Amino acid sequence: MSQTTLTASPVLPAPVAGALFMVAAGVAFAGVNTLEQIATTQLGIPAPTAAFLQYAVALLAVLPWALRRGLPSLATRRPWLQALRVLLAALGVQAWVAGLAHGVPIGQAVALVMTSPFVVTLGAALLLGERVSIERWLAVTIGFAGGLIILDPFAETFTMASLYPLAAAVLWAGVSLVQKRLLVEDSPEAVAAWLLLLLAPVNFVLALPAGLALPSADGWIAILAVGVLTAAAQAFLILAYSRADAAYVQPFDHVKLPLNVIAGWLVFGWLPTAQLWIGAALIIGASLFLLWRESRASEPTLAAGQSPSSS
């Protein structure tokens, strides 16, 4: 992306606009998670059905926009890797919604899924052969320690359902690893198009074994709102990354944690524990350290006049 595309808007400077769009995405995702949990725990929609309907509605919401802009080419040199990426993303969605459906507090679930970057770092070293410094290994260790503190597997309140968000984090980390490999040969447009067009159909197939259940009238209202908010959140993310560099806007993504904690408290009465805040502080601190290390590593590239990668 050329530097001229990041010029300030007439209303707000581009970095400020990027930060606000990232916060807006966090607000939208908090709404998604809250309504998804209401739909599954209070309105009786099975988790696999809710996951499929969420992304089916989101697809319908963004399809007119995509058609107006012209669907990007689906040409790919790695169709099986594209399919694997979509499958991992769909399984991550199923695991995430299953956690919400089993009553995992929203704040806890979001904090656990924030361990995904550490899984990416681990996978990049073990699967992609990337060199990982001692500092990054330390950040990964601290991040996982924060996740363990939040899970508290030896507490009486621990249930196996608490592992669903962690499973989603691992699966979505797999999506990021496959995407890094795909972007070596395929265009970003093709990678985005495959996920956009196939995520809903794959979730439909995954929902079939449990049986699709049509929601009630209230359930349809909740699901429609979830789908539209999902599309809006993705749009806000795109706008955030188009206005400013990823290294600048990424820290604002952490605002989603307190937003989801507040939503869980207001709607379900879940008060965050001290362990949640301690674990979340470790996860956020370690992820910000990783981001700082990546920014320093990219400085020579930027000096050479190349754009930083947003992956």
Side-chain angles (χ1 to χ4, degrees):
M1 180 181 294
S2 64
Q3 191 66 28
T4 57
T5 61
L6 299 180
T7 55
S9 68
V11 180
L12 290 173
V16 175
L20 290 177
F21 279 128
M22 183 60 80
V23 173
V27 173
F29 278 126
V32 168
N33 297 332
T34 303
L35 289 170
E36 191 89 79
Q37 195 149 50
I38 290 175
T40 53
T41 62
Q42 298 181 10
L43 300 179
I45 302 176
T49 298
F52 158 64
L53 292 175
Q54 172 187 353
Y55 283 91
V57 172
L59 175 59
L60 293 175
V62 302
L63 201 54
W65 172 84
L67 290 173
R68 283 198 304 268
R69 293 179 60 91
L71 289 176
S73 172
L74 289 177
T76 176
R77 297 182 180 181
R78 303 285 182 178
W80 290 109
L81 275 183
Q82 293 280 13
L84 175 62
R85 173 173 170 264
V86 174
L87 177 61
L88 290 173
L91 289 172
V93 169
Q94 293 287 335
W96 174 255
V97 177
L100 296 180
H102 282 80
V104 177
I106 300 173
Q108 177 182 324
V110 170
L112 288 174
V113 87
M114 288 171 65
T115 61
S116 185
F118 309 118
V119 183
V120 172
T121 300
L122 184 63
L126 299 179
L127 301 178
L128 301 182
E130 293 186 7
R131 185 177 180 181
V132 178
S133 64
I134 295 177
E135 292 91 342
R136 291 178 68 186
W137 281 122
L138 179 61
V140 169
T141 302
I142 293 174
F144 284 143
L148 190 62
I149 290 173
I150 294 172
L151 272 178
D152 196 8
F154 300 107
E156 294 182 359
T157 55
F158 174 79
T159 64
M160 295 302 293
S162 301
L163 297 176
Y164 280 122
L166 201 57
V170 173
L171 289 163
W172 287 334
V175 172
S176 297
L177 291 170
V178 174
Q179 179 170 299
K180 291 180 70 172
R181 179 64 185 85
L182 280 170
L183 288 173
V184 175
E185 300 181 67
D186 288 354
S187 69
E189 291 80 10
V191 172
W194 274 71
L195 190 65
L196 171 69
L197 297 176
L198 295 183
L199 194 55
V202 172
N203 270 304
F204 172 75
V205 173
L206 294 176
L208 285 178
L212 289 174
L214 291 178
S216 62
D218 289 342
W220 274 116
I221 294 173
I223 286 296
L224 288 172
V226 166
V228 171
L229 283 174
T230 299
Q234 295 297 331
F236 286 139
L237 287 177
I238 293 171
L239 289 169
Y241 287 118
S242 70
R243 294 299 190 276
D245 293 336
Y248 174 80
V249 299
Q250 191 61 38
F252 293 94
D253 182 52
H254 296 314
V255 175
K256 67 188 178 187
L257 178 58
L259 288 173
N260 279 273
V261 168
I262 292 172
W265 171 55
L266 291 176
V267 178
F268 301 103
W270 287 321
L271 293 176
T273 64
Q275 287 173 300
L276 173 62
W277 292 123
I278 293 172
L282 291 175
I283 292 171
I284 293 175
S287 63
L288 289 176
F289 177 77
L290 277 179
L291 182 64
W292 174 72
R293 288 286 300 171
E294 293 295 334
S295 299
R296 288 189 60 189
S298 66
E299 285 177 1
T301 301
L302 294 176
Q306 299 178 5
S307 299
S309 171
S310 61
S311 61

